[in-house]
Amino acid sequence: MKIKLFTAIAFTLAISGTALAQQWVPSGDKIKTKWAEEVSPVNVHPEYPRPEMVRSDWKSLNGLWEYSVISKSAQQPDEFQGKILVPFAVESSLSGVGKTVTPNDAIWYRTTFIVPSSWKGKEIMLRFEAVDWRADVMVNGVQVGTHTGGYTHFAFDVTPYLKSGANILVLKVLDSTDNDFQPRGKQVLKPSGIWYTAVSGIWQSVWLEPVAKTHITDYYAVSNVHDGTLDLNVSVCGAQEGDIVKVSVVDGGVGFSTETDPYAKVVTEAQGLPGSTVSLTIPDAKLWSPDSPYLYGLKIQVLRGGKVLDAVKGYTSLREVSVYQKNGNTKLLGLNGQPIFMYGPLDQGWWPDGLYTAPTDEALKYDIVKTKDFGYNMIRKHIKVEPSRWFYYCDQLGVLVWQDMPSFGDNHLNKWGVFNYDEGTDFPATPQAKANYYKEWGEIMNQVKKFQCIAVWVPFNEAWSQFDTRSAIDFTRAQDPTRLINMASGGNWVKNCGDVLDNHHYPYPAMRLWDKDMINVLGEYGGIGLPLEGHLWQTDRNWGYVQYKNGDEVLKEYAAFAEILKTLIRQGCSAAVYTQTTDCEGEVNGLMTYDRKVIKMDEAKLKAANEAVIKAFQEYHNKK
């Protein structure tokens, strides 16, 4: 009987999966990545979305939902237009929709879910990793909350609005994209050149999680590499007088995984009050670096009268990013008290089939793995914020990250100065746009600063929507004084502001301005183009800053640029960012094609060239 029962269940699941697949077909005829075939309505981004703070019990809501794109003034539709595969944006082919959303439109989503009976007595959190841009969320006809901002997580306690059986979840999403108000990075309604297809609606995972009435909401760890200590602040919801937070630090190591490690070997632990700082001393502390990305596991518990009310598993490391200066010489980037040349690609995080959303978790990790394989030690995440799992892989693999704030405009309404201080002018941002910038930038920083890979904050790029620079840098410093600040990447610099003076120069590496009182870096260069037939987003109007006919020509030019970098290093340059990781829509200047199917240069020779640059920096500064 058991065999027959299991066979019947398997048959039912197979039929159900087939039916779902028949309701979803990727839209459009654009190129696709090699992972597109793995995308399925019954197994779409099934991974736990928050690897830095893990609970074992949760439920993914990713999959086929109903959708409509209608006038934003219209009421919720009774009948929906079709099916959409969440968490892919409406405009993407993997969503199965592929529609343009205008400022006059609203996207309506609808799905149902059943709360497991084992969750009885718990508070049920409905979590969204990212929805672009404004989301009104309704459960069983009750609006449970509203969120604005396209790059940050949000959640609502929906417990009071649930019922037995099927619950109805509805979203209304508005997204104006390029309205010079909402941060949107490279998204535009009319893509061309360096500006890409808009991304609207849900584009990261949606999930349910049961929590105790008293539960951990967040934690933030700051390490001191000089004395091997760790200060942890743990935020707790529903705490009562007498509650205790217990933090255990667990041995991890390179490749440590929060999902599989048994958290058995506790190296130290301490207790404190919820919301206070718990200080721990780690014996024989091992430091994190790109060469040795050692991660310690964390087990965090809330106790009341000795009883565990809530527990999460996470991780952290010991590492310090700082200004390095020896005997009054040139200021350099520092990691763990030593100078470091941070070298990596400009990474925009776009996909031809998923746009903002990688087709699978393996795909999300792939670009980071290849960056490391190419001999780099850093990524500049360009005016986009990735899901938590992306930062987790950077932590795990040992890749430093410069995190940009997504711009809310371009620089056509202000002057972009690139040769000296105070040449440029401010973008004419409205008071509302400025206030929203600070809101979203603060939320983004608070969300990702717990990841160890973050080394540099980049509030502005190339004068795009840049305003009140000194105030913005002061705000950034106040949110996180433990990282360095790249005041304005590529121009519109302000004297004695931030830590980093960042030049852009295409195609070959060059510095337009040096300042002995700043860390001098080359924040963008390169852009060597190579269009490859069969891997192009569009057949014409493809461009790079320079273009060549084959990979050997590209490699020759790249190697020549690497030699120039060695000269800049001797002059005081402390970092370089090559444009870019992959082709992006009409841009063909990637190290890889947009579909990730071709690496354009000989990989071993590319790695050797990059490692030679980093080695030249180390040798030069070791002699000084």
Side-chain angles (χ1 to χ4, degrees), residues 341-601:
F341 189 78
M342 296 189 189
Y343 190 24
L346 189 80
D347 189 322
Q348 312 216 51
W350 287 76
W351 304 82
D353 37 26
L355 297 180
Y356 255 18
T357 310
T360 66
D361 192 63
E362 181 188 359
L364 183 72
K365 185 178 181 180
Y366 179 81
D367 285 1
I368 307 168
V369 170
K370 297 316 297 180
T371 296
K372 194 81 172 180
D373 289 347
F374 295 158
Y376 297 113
N377 61 12
M378 175 265 279
I379 288 171
R380 180 180 170 199
K381 179 48 63 176
H382 193 38
I383 56 174
K384 181 199 177 189
V385 183
E386 293 288 0
S388 291
R389 295 190 68 85
W390 186 89
F391 293 98
Y392 167 56
Y393 289 132
C394 288
D395 283 348
Q396 188 185 69
L397 295 170
V399 180
L400 293 159
V401 174
W402 293 12
Q403 178 61 59
D404 288 13
M405 169 60 179
S407 56
F408 59 85
D410 54 32
N411 59 21
H412 290 110
L413 298 178
N414 56 318
K415 179 183 176 183
W416 177 24
V418 297
F419 293 103
N420 215 326
Y421 286 116
D422 300 317
E423 280 186 339
T425 60
D426 275 5
F427 181 86
T430 64
Q432 293 81 5
K434 292 180 181 182
N436 188 69
Y437 170 94
Y438 287 123
K439 169 191 173 291
E440 293 199 35
W441 185 218
E443 290 172 348
I444 289 168
M445 292 181 69
N446 186 62
Q447 177 171 297
V448 305
K449 69 181 183 181
K450 64 172 61 65
F451 294 101
Q452 306 305 298
C453 57
I454 300 291
V456 176
W457 300 114
V458 188
F460 297 115
N461 176 74
E462 293 186 348
W464 300 348
S465 62
Q466 185 173 343
F467 68 93
D468 299 348
T469 305
R470 197 175 298 278
S471 295
I473 272 48
D474 289 344
F475 174 85
T476 303
R477 185 84 71 196
Q479 306 310 301
D480 179 18
T482 72
R483 268 76 168 215
L484 300 177
I485 301 174
N486 183 342
M487 129 191 58
S489 185
N492 274 33
W493 306 298
V494 177
K495 187 72 172 175
N496 299 322
C497 188
D499 305 299
V500 175
L501 176 65
D502 179 334
N503 288 257
H504 291 183
H505 193 278
Y506 288 99
Y508 63 89
M511 302 285 282
R512 291 188 167 103
L513 181 65
W514 296 90
D515 187 337
K516 65 180 179 60
D517 296 321
M518 301 289 285
I519 300 170
N520 295 275
V521 306
L522 181 62
E524 292 183 30
Y525 82 98
I528 303 171
L530 176 61
L532 293 177
E533 188 175 349
H535 304 277
L536 299 174
W537 175 261
Q538 54 197 28
T539 56
D540 58 357
R541 294 179 290 114
N542 293 298
W543 73 280
Y545 290 90
V546 290
Q547 287 201 33
Y548 291 93
K549 297 179 181 179
N550 58 59
D552 290 340
E553 291 183 355
V554 172
L555 181 63
K556 182 179 179 180
E557 185 79 328
Y558 187 92
F561 289 174
E563 292 302 313
I564 298 174
L565 283 179
K566 294 176 185 177
T567 300
L568 294 179
I569 283 170
R570 292 191 293 272
Q571 294 174 319
C573 184
S574 193
V577 178
Y578 178 79
T579 300
Q580 60 187 329
T581 306
T582 71
D583 294 349
C584 285
E585 299 204 356
E587 293 187 52
V588 293
N589 47 23
L591 297 161
M592 298 183 284
T593 54
Y594 198 14
D595 55 16
R596 277 74 166 173
K597 293 179 180 178
V598 179
I599 297 169
K600 296 184 182 180
M601 290 178 268

Side-chain angles (χ1 to χ4, degrees), residues 48 50-55 209 216-219 312-314:
Y48 189 79
R50 194 177 54 192
E52 76 281 12
M53 201 168 96
V54 177
R55 293 185 179 92
E209 184 175 48
I216 299 159
T217 58
D218 206 356
Y219 69 87
V312 297
K313 294 178 180 179

Side-chain angles (χ1 to χ4, degrees), residues 77-150:
D78 294 324
E79 298 293 330
F80 283 68
Q81 294 170 350
K83 301 287 186 178
I84 183 170
L85 186 58
V86 170
F88 296 104
V90 173
E91 296 88 347
S92 71
S93 65
L94 286 178
S95 72
V97 179
K99 288 184 178 180
T100 298
V101 177
T102 77
N104 296 318
D105 293 328
I107 312 166
W108 287 89
Y109 293 87
R110 184 171 66 187
T111 191
T112 59
F113 62 88
I114 296 174
V115 177
S117 58
S118 59
W119 293 4
K120 186 177 181 180
K122 296 290 187 76
E123 295 185 352
I124 312 303
M125 303 301 297
L126 171 62
R127 301 192 186 278
F128 297 86
E129 295 300 282
V131 180
D132 197 355
W133 180 77
R134 174 192 165 112
D136 295 326
V137 181
M138 290 147 275
V139 174
N140 293 325
V142 178
Q143 183 164 328
V144 298
T146 296
H147 179 266
T148 59

